[in-house]
Amino acid sequence: MIDFHSHILPGMDDGAKTPEESIELLKLSFRQGVSLMCATPHFYPWENTPEEFLARRRRSWELLKASLAGCSERVPKILLGAEVAYFEGIARSHDIDSLKLDGTGIILLEMPFSNWTARMWEEVTELSLRRDTVVMLAHIERYLHFGAREYLTNLPHRSIIIQTNGEAFIQGPFKRRSVSSLLRRGAIDVLGSDCHNLELRAPNLRTASEQIKKHLGESFLVTIEDKSRRLLESFGITGF
Ligand SMILES: [Fe+2]
């Protein structure tokens, strides 16, 4: 399994606080079947420049790597990235190119928690049309009340990838039915745990997978796995 969204890098945001906590999250994810983990700390353009963010991420990653050297249990491979908060003008900002998932053109984009406007969607579309850029919309289930659904039913092309959090399949029947209907229509592509800690926001992709299998059938899981692998393979990332 590939986890496209997590906050496992120590001290970067409201996710893992220490390398020890990061390692516990990684070990648990691996035991749940995650072979590749995308580490996507929050990037807020009003708090950091991309350069400052990348310097902080480098330090956090070095700290984690040093701690992982003493870890005897297997953990997923890690790809560094960011969860980039939407801002007005993002489609014309080349600063964010450095925040793509390492070795890929994928930008994990966190939309605002307010009604989606045609203007916002124009920006997302324009960004996705840029050469070597794939927009991955983070945790789509959180936006279904903000008018996201109407945009998802008519995606202009496949440079927009839809990511759902595992919790959407776990937190109760109402949310599960909403995301399940999107999944049935092929409007959901990949999963992320969005894990932050071992308590309320823990790795959950095994439970999510079990729920998908139970309520929708195994073929949907296979499709998600296929789409996830093919997406990374399209950028030459293999062997996970
Ligand atoms: Fe997140």
Side-chain angles (χ1 to χ4, degrees), residues 5-9 11-16 39-50 52-54 56-57 81-86 99 108-111 113 138-139 142-143 165 194-196 201:
H5 184 162
S6 75
H7 298 268
I8 54 109
L9 288 182
M12 281 299 291
D13 54 15
D14 54 343
T40 54
H42 287 289
F43 170 76
Y44 299 118
W46 48 89
E47 285 183 0
N48 276 177
T49 64
E52 289 163 348
F53 172 86
L54 291 173
R56 285 202 303 120
R57 194 184 70 180
E83 181 179 7
V84 179
Y86 173 92
L99 303 175
L108 181 66
L109 183 64
E110 181 179 44
M111 294 297 282
F113 295 99
H139 39 56
R142 296 194 192 170
Y143 304 104
N165 281 359
D194 203 0
C195 63
H196 283 62
R201 305 192 68 183

Side-chain angles (χ1 to χ4, degrees), residues 133-165:
T133 300
V134 170
V135 172
M136 182 180 284
L137 292 178
H139 39 56
I140 201 67
E141 71 281 358
R142 296 194 192 170
Y143 304 104
L144 298 180
H145 294 305
F146 293 126
R149 196 185 295 273
E150 68 176 281
Y151 294 102
L152 300 182
T153 48
N154 268 318
L155 283 180
H157 53 86
R158 296 312 291 164
S159 290
I160 299 178
I161 299 287
I162 307 298
Q163 181 259 312
T164 299
N165 281 359

